[in-house]
Amino acid sequence: MCRYRRSISATTDPSGPSPAARPRGPGARRLVGSAGIGVVVSGLLVNVYLAVVARALTPAEYATFGAFWALALVLGFGPFLPLEQELARRLSLRESRRQVLLAGAATAAGLGVLALVVLLAASPVVASSLDRDPWAFGALVALCVVSAGQFLLRGVLIGTDRLVRHGAVMVLDALLRLGLAVVLLVVGGRQASLYCWALVAAIAAAHLPLLPAAWRRAEREVTVVAPDPARHGTRALAGTATPLLVGSVCAQLLLNGLPVVVVALADGSAQAAAGVFVAAFTLAKAPLSMVVPLQSAVVPTLTRLLAAGRRRQVLRLLGKGAAALAGLAVVGVPLAWWLGPPIVTLVFGGEYRIAGAQLAVIVAGVLAHVGLVVVTQVHVARDRHVDVAASWLAGLVVAAVMFWLVPGVVVAGEVAFGVGSAVGAVVSAVLLLRTHTAADGIVTEGTAT
């Protein structure tokens, strides 16, 4: 007798699914040529916008705006990015789209209420980080409402393969932010709260007017009825998005929560240093302003690849990405140490000075964070949302421990971000390899004569 193995993939059909059976959708070239370009352009514009704001404000005022910016990302991407990702995945299946849209709208409203509750519960810490400016706090309240429509639109555009439109909306958003900031600079706006409200207005103007047309177009497209009527209901969508919500909130706390904590804990003498840290950190994480918005756009493509049984191709792509990130770290970290401080001073002004070693730590953390973002999107496409939550939670917990152990609030924030991101990336990669091996390995074992 001899033992035999049977893989979970169809060994009876070595060629895999036929071309006709594979889901059709945009290829990688179209993805890079549309959403990718839009995200890159908008990311560059956003960094110009942040430099304009820094030029308009003193370091102490910029610390307040930087805290608002970080909180805006936490309250925006944190609760609502899972909605965008899950809408992108479900709408790309072309099943019961009207039901998916209605469930998405209901979930967006619920997430908006949740964001407001969290904001009010954390108001003592938030108010402290915003220098107790009631107008800046009011802008955060408005942002919770606007973000619901913003991410609902983005999920609809991505899920219906409107990647060119998605990129154009992001560029429009960035242009409006920059234009309003320039106007405030010219008229002499020197209060951080003015720029906070201008940011909320730009997001609303770029996204909300386009939502009705995108909704109607998604409804008109031919779709099939889901085999299970409850498959795309509000409860099902919210249920699958819950682990993503945990992961997304942890991700935003790791990326954008640390600057808020640094500003909140910095005393009077360290307030200016905290503002310099926020400015330098914002500049160093510029690549993430391009990678983070793009992550949902790759979910439909990854979903189609995995549905076609091309798991090994996805792993090969991840391997190439890891090698590219390692190469960037070898080159980028020493350059950040050497050239980073004068670049920060050039961009933000002579009052913004930071040590090269601190910038090197931040850049290394940014590259690790990029790797964590990329790997977790494979988990999303594989419908393993719990692994997404576990990866980000591990990174956040390690970051909290490092922040507590390292002396000096600014240095602690830098080290915590880098180490937490690196540990999260390692945990996510291990989970991916473990579950991939389980999927492609031995699933049944028997005997044959």
Side-chain angles (χ1 to χ4, degrees), residues 32 92 232 333 381 389 403 442:
V32 174
S92 67
H232 296 301
V333 172
F403 189 83
I442 304 171

Side-chain angles (χ1 to χ4, degrees), residues 129-359:
S129 66
L130 296 176
D131 199 25
R132 306 200 177 280
D133 187 335
W135 291 102
F137 189 88
L140 282 178
V141 173
L143 182 79
C144 293
V145 178
V146 171
S147 294
Q150 175 191 8
F151 284 88
L152 182 62
L153 172 68
R154 287 168 51 156
V156 171
L157 292 177
I158 295 171
T160 55
D161 295 337
R162 305 288 183 259
L163 297 177
V164 175
R165 182 70 56 86
H166 173 265
V169 169
M170 296 195 65
V171 172
L172 174 62
D173 184 5
L175 285 172
L176 288 174
R177 297 182 190 191
L178 178 58
L180 291 176
V182 170
V183 169
L184 288 174
L185 175 63
V186 170
V187 300
R190 295 294 182 265
Q191 292 181 323
S193 57
L194 294 175
Y195 294 87
C196 298
W197 275 103
L199 173 64
V200 176
I203 295 173
H207 292 83
L208 300 187
L210 303 178
L211 183 56
W215 182 297
R216 289 193 299 269
R217 186 166 185 173
E219 279 187 325
R220 287 199 302 266
E221 292 183 345
V222 178
T223 61
V224 298
V225 178
D228 180 5
R231 179 176 179 179
H232 296 301
T234 303
R235 180 176 297 181
L237 192 150
T240 55
T242 298
L244 290 180
L245 176 62
V246 174
S248 182
V249 170
C250 290
Q252 292 307 314
L253 289 175
L254 176 60
L255 178 61
N256 299 300
L258 282 171
V260 176
V261 175
V262 168
V263 172
L265 295 181
D267 56 24
S269 60
Q271 191 69 18
V276 173
F277 162 72
V278 170
F281 186 73
T282 301
L283 182 63
K285 68 175 184 177
L288 289 171
S289 65
M290 307 173 193
V291 174
V292 172
L294 187 60
Q295 58 184 313
S296 297
V298 287
V299 169
T301 299
L302 290 173
T303 301
R304 295 180 181 108
L305 286 173
L306 294 168
R310 298 162 69 180
R311 288 188 296 272
R312 294 187 183 278
Q313 180 180 350
V314 173
L315 284 181
R316 284 196 297 270
L317 291 173
L318 286 176
K320 293 178 180 178
L325 283 176
L328 284 174
V330 170
V331 176
V333 172
L335 283 177
W337 192 314
W338 178 37
L339 296 176
I343 291 177
V344 170
T345 303
L346 175 66
V347 172
F348 294 105
E351 296 178 289
Y352 293 82
R353 299 183 181 277
I354 190 170
Q358 292 178 272
L359 271 177

